[in-house]
Amino acid sequence: MKAERIIGNDVHDALNLVKEVFFAEGNLSLSRTAAKSFLEFLSLHGEELSWFGVYDGDLKGVLACDEDTAHLSLLFVRKEDRHKGIGTMLVNALKDKAKEKGIQRITVNALPSAISFYTHVGFEKTGDEQSAGDMRFTLMEYICGKEALGKKVTVIIDHPYGSFHPILPDVVYTCNYGYVEGDTAGDEDLQNAYVYGVDEPLDTFTGFVIAIIYHRDETETRWVVSQSLLYDKNDVINAIGEMEQEYDTRIEWL
């Protein structure tokens, strides 16, 4: 078995499976208002989503998402087919698609009953429990691209140490900043990167990726590249802090 894209008329089969599982479960964890809200969403937007399914003769499980943002909208596996890795296959298919498109973050509004599963497949909570339409959920996210940590790359500097920031007034670059060409989803993409540990202007720099900076509500990331794999986190934060002050950031460290 493997996860594959569902297209054309087969999307109707996916929608029917969702409704079948949804009602068969009895939705004991959802109020009537929450169930109504979910079915209205499915009716209005179900065919607009991208669908993946796992087949073994018939359809065993489905995942629907917005491919442009990598937001996971729903995931259902037939009760008798659970604990066979089907949910993990579906999430891995979305991870592969996000990587292919250069998207750095997958998000999901996880119901209380699903939090342990999403934690198992690498998601982390990014906030407290919320409610909408009488439905309780917790925003979780999976960070893509961690495999870049420790990678040796060459940064082409276009904003050298000591130069003025092109947008933020009176902000001076306290480290060299540039890009690693052709290192994300496609050959024409540019991966932005800071150079840490060199306090003089440079044209290029070769070193190791020691951190990845994520901006909330953005798909692009910024790498921090250092000549050494030994570093002080506080010193790195101080070096890049002035350029990152306008953003809500999260950092993954090597």
Side-chain angles (χ1 to χ4, degrees):
M1 293 187 296
K2 66 177 182 178
E4 54 190 85
R5 184 182 290 278
I6 299 175
I7 59 175
N9 292 331
D10 290 340
V11 170
H12 294 292
D13 293 336
L15 289 166
N16 288 335
L17 181 145
V18 169
K19 293 176 181 177
E20 176 187 331
V21 175
F22 188 79
F23 285 113
E25 295 286 316
N27 289 304
L28 298 178
S29 63
L30 299 179
S31 69
R32 181 170 298 182
T33 302
K36 181 180 178 182
S37 175
F38 170 75
L39 291 174
E40 286 177 350
F41 167 81
L42 200 63
S43 175
L44 290 171
H45 303 290
E47 295 190 15
E48 300 172 4
L49 299 171
S50 295
W51 290 80
F52 295 87
V54 171
Y55 292 85
D56 187 10
D58 57 354
L59 189 57
K60 301 296 184 181
V62 294
L63 177 152
C65 65
D66 181 332
E67 273 195 47
D68 291 332
T69 62
H71 180 74
L72 197 165
S73 299
L74 56 90
L75 189 159
F76 280 88
V77 177
R78 295 184 190 276
K79 189 173 184 179
E80 62 270 23
D81 292 309
R82 292 178 186 171
H83 308 296
K84 298 179 181 179
I86 291 173
T88 301
M89 290 180 201
L90 291 165
V91 171
N92 286 343
L94 178 55
K95 290 178 181 178
D96 290 342
K97 182 56 62 177
K99 181 178 180 181
E100 179 184 315
K101 295 174 72 70
I103 296 173
Q104 304 296 329
R105 179 187 289 107
I106 300 172
T107 59
V108 64
N109 295 333
L111 297 177
S113 59
I115 288 176
S116 60
F117 166 75
Y118 286 115
T119 300
H120 174 70
V121 294
F123 283 71
E124 300 177 13
K125 294 180 181 179
T126 58
D128 297 327
E129 186 177 81
Q130 304 176 44
S131 62
D134 208 25
M135 184 180 295
R136 295 185 297 117
F137 62 88
T138 299
L139 180 61
M140 302 183 73
E141 67 180 17
Y142 174 83
I143 297 300
C144 308
K146 291 182 181 180
E147 63 272 11
L149 291 170
K151 184 177 181 179
K152 190 173 185 179
V153 298
T154 297
V155 183
I156 301 170
I157 309 299
D158 54 8
H159 296 290
Y161 176 89
S163 63
F164 283 96
H165 196 284
I167 298 175
L168 301 177
D170 301 323
V171 171
V172 174
Y173 279 92
T174 53
C175 58
N176 290 280
Y177 180 72
Y179 59 90
V180 180
E181 191 171 14
D183 217 287
T184 50
D187 290 339
E188 296 181 359
D189 293 327
L190 301 178
Q191 170 62 56
N192 293 323
Y194 292 107
V195 171
Y196 166 71
V198 181
D199 296 337
E200 61 179 90
L202 299 173
D203 294 320
T204 63
F205 177 83
T206 298
F208 300 94
V209 180
I210 60 169
I212 303 175
I213 303 169
Y214 298 87
H215 294 165
R216 187 173 298 280
D217 300 324
E218 292 185 11
T219 59
E220 295 181 353
T221 62
R222 298 178 181 181
W223 292 351
V224 180
V225 180
S226 170
Q227 195 167 27
S228 171
L229 294 176
L230 300 177
Y231 59 90
D232 181 274
K233 290 182 181 180
N234 290 330
D235 193 43
V236 174
I237 291 171
N238 288 335
I240 65 174
E242 195 164 3
M243 287 80 72
E244 292 291 317
Q245 62 181 319
E246 298 295 318
Y247 302 99
D248 182 1
T249 63
R250 171 180 173 176
I251 302 177
E252 289 289 326
W253 301 93
L254 176 64

